[in-house]
Amino acid sequence: MQYLSRGSVPKKRHTRHRTDPGFKGEGLFYEEVITTQGFSRAHSFAYHLRPPTRVKHVESAGIQPVEVAPQDVLRHHHLKSAMLPAGGDPIAGRVPMLANADVTLWRCRPTQPQAELFRNALADELLFIHNGSGRLLTHFGVLPFRPFDYVLIPRCTTYKIEFEPGVPPDLLVIESAGTINIPPKYLNHDGQLRLGAPYCERDLHGPTDLLVIDEERDTPVIIKDGPRLSRYVLASHPFDVVGWDGLVYPFTFNADDFEPITGTIHQPPPIHLTFETSGFVVCTFAPRMLDTHPEAIKVPYAHSNVESDEVLYYVRGKFGSRRGVEEASFTLHPHGIPHGPHPGTIVASRDVKWTDELAVMVDTFRPLSVTKQAMELDDPKYPYSWLD
Ligand SMILES: [Fe+2]
């Protein structure tokens, strides 16, 4: 990530950052150091009106379970999540679809505003905004988002999602046990995105305006660690930061800003790589020119996923190699079973020069399980869909 600074920070870290004369309290802003991987990796510094540690009450807030369906057979799945009923708020309304120890994929179509502030203590969250616009509010300030944005929220960021009225919001939530990173292969030795990488610093957007909420009143925050939810009632509003700087903060990247890499013949899935973690990768299948060799086969070759489970979430446009998928479909092509273009798609793509497809791929290194809710959206005929 690139270094960002917002608002007022002292000249030197860990020194007195004085408030204006006459300001209440001890005459100092309170520093919070926000770190990753202990104190070893990227970090930021925030300066609060009040200490962020003043907890008045702690209680259980229940659990957000991920219930796996009986997995009695290994097979392909097509999950039609467009059929998922809308409901709940942007946190409680999340419905788990696929999960392993590294990642849980949730769908969320909220109908209510977010009831309480929320903080994921154990996982980075990558939201993909399928529909809706709005703002992510955090102590780093306001982060506007729009359709087809990825919104990366580092773990331990307290947040509230606000949607603009008018368009029913629709989210894919990728909850990651490992830190979600920009792929190291896209970075040069100076830490800058390489020339030729499919995006650059200008495509990544951090928080804009600070909020600086000066409220001494009980403020509940739901903290999630795994399925467990705890309610922390703070003595004041945590979005009281007057300034921050560093490399840890939420940011957006719009899928339509992904610069596709193409060739004369079919290029393999890693060209779509967008984010990377220890347990999976996220790839963006963005609109692009198709292969230009006069004899090119313009849809992917059949392959078995070796040491990988492959999830595609279909966002927009017509997906050239698949029949029957619709907007908001997931396909899961698990380890060890060959899959490839559907019958007729090789011929159908012969004279096509351009694809308008937009899809998000999550390739996990460990097997995924299908949840109980996802099985209710499953098309049991999908494994046989490669027959003529
Ligand atoms: Fe594949």
Side-chain angles (χ1 to χ4, degrees), residues 22 62 70 96 160 240 276 291 323 329:
K160 183 176 187 185
D240 63 346
E276 193 170 309
D291 317 323
R323 290 188 322 202
S329 283

Side-chain angles (χ1 to χ4, degrees), residues 1 17 157 171 180 185 274 312 329 386:
M1 283 308 300
H17 186 12
T157 302
L171 305 176
I180 300 176
K185 73 175 188 178
T274 309
L312 267 165
S329 283
W386 282 266

Side-chain angles (χ1 to χ4, degrees), residues 49-270:
L49 296 178
R50 299 175 178 84
T53 45
R54 297 161 68 228
V55 177
K56 289 182 79 172
H57 182 68
V58 181
E59 63 184 21
S60 169
I63 58 166
Q64 191 169 35
V66 176
E67 294 182 89
V68 167
Q71 315 282 309
D72 53 356
V73 64
L74 174 70
R75 69 168 173 87
H76 296 314
H77 289 273
H78 174 193
L79 312 172
K80 297 184 172 185
S81 81
M83 300 193 299
L84 193 72
D89 83 354
I91 307 299
R94 295 177 181 184
V95 181
M97 296 279 114
L98 296 157
N100 67 15
D102 299 310
V103 64
T104 304
L105 303 178
W106 310 75
R107 291 279 286 116
C108 187
R109 314 175 87 189
T111 52
Q112 298 158 20
Q114 187 175 324
E116 295 174 292
L117 300 180
F118 178 77
R119 176 181 175 96
N120 196 324
L122 272 186
D124 286 4
E125 293 186 357
L126 183 64
L127 316 182
F128 181 79
I129 310 294
H130 193 150
N131 262 315
S133 299
R135 313 185 310 160
L136 181 81
L137 308 180
T138 74
H139 64 259
F140 297 102
V142 179
L143 180 64
F145 60 78
R146 60 192 171 101
F148 317 124
D149 266 350
Y150 292 100
V151 184
L152 203 162
I153 309 173
R155 68 199 61 207
C156 296
T157 302
T158 304
Y159 70 81
K160 183 176 187 185
I161 306 173
E162 283 186 352
F163 288 99
E164 288 167 11
V167 177
D170 197 342
L171 305 176
L172 168 68
V173 180
I174 300 169
E175 185 187 16
S176 171
T179 307
I180 300 176
N181 295 309
I182 290 171
K185 73 175 188 178
Y186 290 164
L187 300 171
N188 62 26
H189 285 300
D190 305 298
Q192 190 175 16
L193 281 155
R194 288 178 186 275
L195 293 168
Y199 53 89
C200 73
E201 284 80 0
R202 292 183 198 175
D203 300 318
L204 309 178
H205 307 284
T208 55
D209 303 320
L210 289 169
L211 286 158
V212 201
I213 298 176
D214 180 8
E215 285 181 0
E216 179 74 16
R217 67 172 166 86
D218 291 4
T219 308
V221 177
I222 301 296
I223 299 183
K224 172 178 160 72
D225 63 329
R228 180 171 61 180
L229 303 175
S230 305
R231 179 174 291 104
Y232 270 64
V233 180
L234 306 180
S236 57
H237 202 291
F239 298 168
D240 63 346
V241 168
V242 298
W244 63 269
D245 72 343
L247 278 84
V248 179
Y249 51 84
F251 67 90
T252 61
F253 168 62
N254 194 276
D256 281 329
D257 286 332
F258 189 92
E259 188 63 34
I261 296 165
T262 59
T264 63
I265 55 171
H266 183 71
Q267 301 297 301

